[in-house]
Amino acid sequence: MTNPFNNVWSPRVLAALRIIAGLLFLAHGTVKLFGFPAGAQPGQVELLTLFGAGAILELVGGALLVLGLFTRPVAFVLSGEMAVAYFMFHAPSSFFPAVNGGDAAILFSFIFLYLAVTGPGAFSLDGLRARKLAAA
């Protein structure tokens, strides 16, 4: 049995999750690439380092998620990035995420894994492309 409320709101709430996660991730990229906003940690990083590569993924990947473009592959790559970030930079200092500061990395990893499986939801360029292909 279908639920009209869920049919209407599930894709919209999924889109809200995608857009907010993308904006937050994009903000992490702007801190590392441009040092914006000033005072945010870790601040501007060297481009040709692991942090620099992560910053590019965060900026470009975050923007693509906000737009809902190539959502599944981008989310899959970003999920992996966050898993690597957690195990390389957070877990070695402590087993406990509340101590090692890795809470956000874990949450981002699983949110992105969820988006890789479910797709973008409503209000996405992926959806627009699919509708155009179906009409052709």
Side-chain angles (χ1 to χ4, degrees):
M1 178 154 92
T2 62
N3 181 332
F5 181 83
N6 286 345
N7 292 344
V8 170
W9 286 100
S10 290
R12 293 175 181 180
V13 173
L14 177 59
L17 176 67
R18 171 183 49 83
I19 292 165
I20 295 300
L23 286 170
L24 289 171
F25 215 58
L26 189 141
H28 283 274
T30 62
V31 167
K32 292 176 187 152
L33 284 176
F34 310 118
F36 178 81
Q41 295 300 318
Q44 198 166 5
V45 299
E46 292 292 323
L47 192 58
L48 299 176
T49 64
L50 281 176
F51 279 113
I56 292 168
L57 284 171
E58 291 164 8
L59 183 75
V60 174
L64 288 171
L65 286 181
V66 169
L67 296 171
L69 184 60
F70 308 118
T71 302
R72 289 175 192 243
V74 167
F76 183 76
V77 168
L78 296 181
S79 177
E81 179 204 0
M82 287 293 90
V84 167
Y86 180 78
F87 287 109
M88 281 187 75
F89 301 108
H90 296 283
S93 66
S94 172
F95 174 78
F96 302 102
V99 174
N100 69 30
D103 312 58
I106 293 169
L107 281 171
F108 274 127
S109 184
F110 279 91
I111 288 169
F112 295 150
L113 184 60
Y114 180 69
L115 291 172
V117 172
T118 62
F123 317 120
S124 70
L125 293 178
D126 287 339
L128 182 64
R129 286 182 22 210
R131 286 189 297 278
K132 283 187 176 183
L133 285 174

